[in-house]
Amino acid sequence: MIEGIKVFADGAELDKMVASYKAGEVSGFTTNPSLMKKAGITDYNEFAKAAVTAIPDMPLSFEVFADDFETMEKEARKIATFGDNVFVKIPITNTKGESSIPLIKKLSSEGVSLNVTALLTLEQVQDTVDALTPGTNNIVSVFAGRVADTGVDPTELMVKSLEMCKQKPGAELLWASTRELINIIQAKDIGVDIITVPPAIIGKIKDIGKDLNQVSLDTVIGFNNDIKALGYSIL
């Protein structure tokens, strides 16, 4: 746990999710179709229900699969029945670029806890915040890591997004697509509510504040161990 920001594990490997839960390393969990594919999940409903059973008292986000809004709504309503701690992930658009805002507004007005995902622009954030019903529990997921992947510093985007979310009671800003451990510190310093972190980076949280001289020595020792293991010789 890191004081000042909630760390959510991003993944779909149930054994690792449960291990993080039992270790008290995180405050919640997010999943998405790509992560489920990577984890080899073949039965969506079975996986989701098993996760809720194993982790009944932390936020869990499960994403809709449909590309048309009628089916997407049906999926969202079913996902919402999985548990009181479940957030329904709705992408900001479908694959045709059609806005999901009308569906987001409808579901939020009925009290469905949403995690609106794949946001990368201030316009998308503002539209999402405007669509949420005050007092309902919602997550606004801005993909800061993917913004950075385009060569743009996401800091200003996250600062302004946080200002927007603060205007709507119940809306929490989430820094998504975390690439490096330093992103947790950046998000915390800005005041972001939540950051999603893959298991590989969660494992590095223990290194926060580690003496850099020790890191340097550990690096050299690592090189040396690999040299010995591989039997390399120059002379």
Side-chain angles (χ1 to χ4, degrees), residues 150-203:
T150 69
V152 175
D153 184 345
T155 303
E156 183 178 359
L157 169 64
M158 299 309 289
V159 169
K160 291 183 177 179
S161 295
L162 183 61
E163 293 173 356
M164 294 176 182
C165 287
K166 284 183 176 179
Q167 302 306 310
K168 187 62 65 79
E172 292 190 290
L173 178 63
L174 182 149
W175 176 305
S177 297
T178 301
R179 303 298 193 230
E180 299 177 303
L181 185 61
I182 188 62
N183 295 152
I184 300 177
I185 306 303
Q186 292 171 321
K188 176 179 177 293
D189 289 346
I190 290 170
V192 171
D193 301 293
I194 307 166
I195 185 168
T196 52
V197 183
I201 294 179
I202 288 176

Side-chain angles (χ1 to χ4, degrees), residues 123-160:
E123 182 180 5
Q124 290 176 333
V125 174
Q126 187 64 69
D127 288 346
T128 297
V129 172
D130 288 344
L132 299 175
T133 298
T136 55
N137 296 318
N138 300 287
I139 297 171
V140 180
S141 291
V142 179
F143 280 45
R146 297 201 180 209
V147 172
D149 286 344
T150 69
V152 175
D153 184 345
T155 303
E156 183 178 359
L157 169 64
M158 299 309 289
V159 169
K160 291 183 177 179

